[in-house]
């Protein structure tokens, strides 16, 4: 069996990659993918601690987090489409507000 520390290290690495993507990119699609990486890191932690403690509570919360991520993607893609329609680009630094 793999120790829980390895899962925590993996989750920390995935979370840091997502955080780096949010802090350094100006593309809205890359923002969305970076947030997904951060949510997946949280899911890894939930499932790892659930397996460590031997209950299914963390796995249940992981399923709810996946549903939240799906809803977040739907809203995010809608915002990206409006951003592209109004500014002809998905660069978030161009849009100071949603009005021209």
């Amino acid at each position: 069996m793999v120790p829980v520390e390895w899962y925590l290290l993996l989750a920390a690495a995935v979370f840091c990659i997502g955080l780096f993507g949010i802090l350094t990119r100006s593309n809205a699609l890359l923002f969305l993918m970076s947030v997904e990486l951060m949510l997946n890191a949280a899911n890894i932690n939930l499932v790892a601690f659930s397996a460590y403690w031997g209950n299914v509570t963390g796995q249940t919360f992981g399923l709810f987090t996946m549903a939240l991520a799906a809803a977040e993607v739907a809203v995010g893609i809608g915002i990206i489409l409006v951003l592209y329609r109004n500014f002809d680009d998905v660069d978030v630094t161009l849009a100071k507000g949603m009005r021209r």
Side-chain angles (χ1 to χ4, degrees), residues 48-66:
F49 281 119
S50 174
Y52 180 75
W53 290 108
N55 60 15
V56 296
T57 306
Q59 294 174 5
T60 306
F61 278 116
L63 286 174
F64 285 125
T65 307
M66 284 186 223

Side-chain angles (χ1 to χ4, degrees), residues 31-79:
F31 270 14
L32 194 60
M33 288 193 300
S34 298
V35 170
E36 290 297 321
L37 281 174
M38 294 169 72
L39 284 172
N40 283 332
N43 278 338
I44 291 170
N45 279 333
L46 287 170
V47 172
F49 281 119
S50 174
Y52 180 75
W53 290 108
N55 60 15
V56 296
T57 306
Q59 294 174 5
T60 306
F61 278 116
L63 286 174
F64 285 125
T65 307
M66 284 186 223
L68 177 87
E72 178 255 335
V73 165
V75 171
I77 288 177
I79 291 171

Side-chain angles (χ1 to χ4, degrees), residues 6-21:
W6 289 76
Y7 292 113
L8 297 180
L9 186 64
L10 173 67
V14 170
F15 188 86
C16 288
I17 291 169
L19 185 63
F20 179 77

